[in-house]
Amino acid sequence: MERIFTNSDVDHSALRGAIIAVVGYGSQGRAHARNLRDSGYDVVVGARAGGKAERQAKADGFSVVPVAEAAQQADLVALLTPDMTHREVYASEIEPNLRKGAALLVAHGFSVIYEQIVPRGDIDVVLVAPKGPGDLVRREYEIGRGVPSLFAVHQDATGTARAKALAYCAGNGGTTAGAIETSFREETETDLFGEQAVLCGGATELVASGFKTLVDAGYKPEVAYFECLHELKLIVDLMYEGGFAKMLHFVSETAKYGDFVSGPRVINDETRARMKEVLTDIQNGNFARQWVAENEAGKPEYERMWKEDLEQPIEKVGARLRTHMAWLQSQPQSEAA
């Protein structure tokens, strides 16, 4: 059984009196910065002058300086910009200015594992990854709880890297909810696999294929939408709240029996073999090389596939049906994790 770290395991002195620079003031960055400040840490935000991040951080009451200056001041830099920006931001703004013995922190290990960042040998390199979107990380912190988090050490130049990661995790509410120690490689590879094979790639393809199967068989697109996409939230919510056990408790006997006899016909050994191929491409770096090359080329295939996804018939049917769902109209836009 994996150990779960809580507040009693934290050495808060590891970051006491330290200056934490948050670079990247999006969903996660804004939540981390506010939580850390409310936990008593000294936080500065590094941002481009005149940009949206600078305006928002100043409105939130932070001292905002250029990224290079933030790195000069910092004992720990939390690099929370999108993965594909890490190489440039680190090389041009952070590495030349981060002092010996300081720490670099990321919330996802992609740029370190796939060597978009090659850290100097005289700094600590750590990871803290809350398992939820920034809005939830902030809300749970504000009510005295937290979001479970992962933490890891990639490079320990000072002998205190692990203590710094746990202290940061605690300041963000992670050890209030419970934190699990991992490695950069494990966090990165499992995160990418989950996104591709299950959460984003797998789920959307399953939904789209189910919809197409029903429509091709002559059923109304609107009815197919409800059965293959709309009701998915009900099932996912039950599993999120209580695993398979809660879902099976609340669905009908007919649904349970259909689950048992037909689920393995759809997700079978062939499917799992394809999942293994996805994982292998992540483990051997093929996916990372492809994604980095796509970015460097200006993302033409990415844009084409995105457009293609949004032009699927299920999207057009869903957009029309959702205008009749009053409860959706007042909801805030969801964030990605």
Side-chain angles (χ1 to χ4, degrees):
M1 186 71 69
E2 191 65 31
R3 180 181 176 185
I4 296 178
F5 291 79
T6 63
N7 289 330
S8 62
D9 298 305
V10 178
D11 176 8
H12 295 278
S13 68
L15 287 179
R16 189 171 295 135
I19 295 175
I20 298 174
V22 173
V23 176
Y25 204 70
S27 168
Q28 287 290 340
R30 188 178 183 218
H32 289 215
R34 292 193 290 170
N35 289 354
L36 292 163
R37 179 178 62 186
D38 290 352
S39 292
Y41 293 124
D42 188 355
V43 179
V44 62
V45 173
R48 178 175 53 84
K52 180 181 176 182
E54 181 192 50
R55 293 192 297 273
Q56 181 67 74
K58 283 185 174 179
D60 289 339
F62 286 102
S63 170
V64 185
V65 298
V67 173
E69 186 177 334
Q72 287 173 346
Q73 296 179 19
D75 298 287
L76 182 149
V77 172
L79 180 55
L80 303 176
T81 61
D83 293 332
M84 290 298 107
T85 68
H86 282 198
R87 179 170 61 184
E88 181 180 351
V89 174
Y90 176 76
S92 63
E93 306 291 337
I94 296 174
E95 183 177 44
N97 296 295
L98 195 60
R99 72 173 71 97
K100 177 181 178 181
L104 176 71
L105 179 144
V106 293
H108 179 39
F110 184 101
S111 58
V112 174
I113 288 298
Y114 299 117
E115 298 183 344
Q116 297 302 289
I117 289 175
V118 181
R120 284 183 358 223
D122 61 356
I123 63 171
D124 295 333
V125 182
V126 299
L127 175 149
V128 172
K131 302 316 292 177
D135 182 59
L136 180 66
V137 171
R138 178 59 178 169
R139 288 200 320 268
E140 287 296 294
Y141 178 91
E142 288 181 304
I143 59 178
R145 299 188 305 204
V147 170
S149 300
L150 303 178
F151 73 97
V153 174
H154 176 74
Q155 183 168 287
D156 187 4
T158 66
T160 61
R162 188 168 178 272
K164 290 174 184 175
L166 262 177
Y168 183 103
C169 189
N172 200 33
T175 52
T176 301
I180 294 175
E181 188 167 14
T182 183
S183 67
F184 270 59
R185 183 163 298 281
E186 182 176 59
E187 184 277 334
T188 301
E189 293 177 353
T190 57
D191 185 87
L192 293 174
F193 176 80
E195 290 170 349
Q196 294 174 33
V198 182
L199 305 176
C200 301
T204 55
E205 286 300 317
L206 185 66
V207 167
S209 295
F211 175 86
K212 187 175 188 304
T213 298
L214 288 178
V215 172
D216 287 352
Y219 297 102
K220 293 181 179 67
E222 293 80 6
V223 175
Y225 175 86
F226 283 125
E227 298 305 330
C228 294
L229 190 153
H230 178 78
E231 293 190 20
L232 181 63
K233 182 182 186 305
L234 309 178
I235 301 303
V236 170
D237 282 352
L238 290 170
M239 291 194 293
Y240 181 82
E241 294 164 7
F244 293 171
K246 184 167 185 177
M247 183 272 287
L248 291 171
H249 177 76
F250 280 96
V251 300
S252 70
E253 291 290 308
T254 303
K256 278 199 282 287
Y257 183 69
D259 172 342
F260 302 150
V261 300
S262 295
R265 298 169 65 192
V266 177
I267 306 300
N268 53 27
D269 287 344
E270 183 179 352
T271 316
R272 284 183 284 276
R274 297 290 178 268
M275 287 184 169
K276 177 61 177 172
E277 290 175 5
V278 170
L279 181 58
T280 298
D281 277 345
I282 291 167
Q283 291 171 326
N284 64 23
N286 282 345
F287 169 76
R289 285 187 288 272
Q290 180 182 339
W291 178 218
V292 169
E294 178 68 14
N295 270 269
E296 291 175 346
K299 300 192 286 192
E301 277 298 290
Y302 171 89
E303 297 292 346
R304 181 192 65 76
M305 291 185 288
W306 188 352
K307 182 173 182 289
E308 191 176 88
D309 247 19
L310 298 184
E311 290 177 348
Q312 293 185 79
I314 191 172
E315 279 292 279
K316 294 178 171 59
V317 173
R320 182 167 65 85
L321 290 177
R322 288 190 294 271
T323 64
H324 297 276
M325 301 175 195
W327 64 91
L328 295 179
Q329 310 314 314
S330 59
Q331 283 186 189
Q333 292 296 307
S334 298
E335 304 175 59

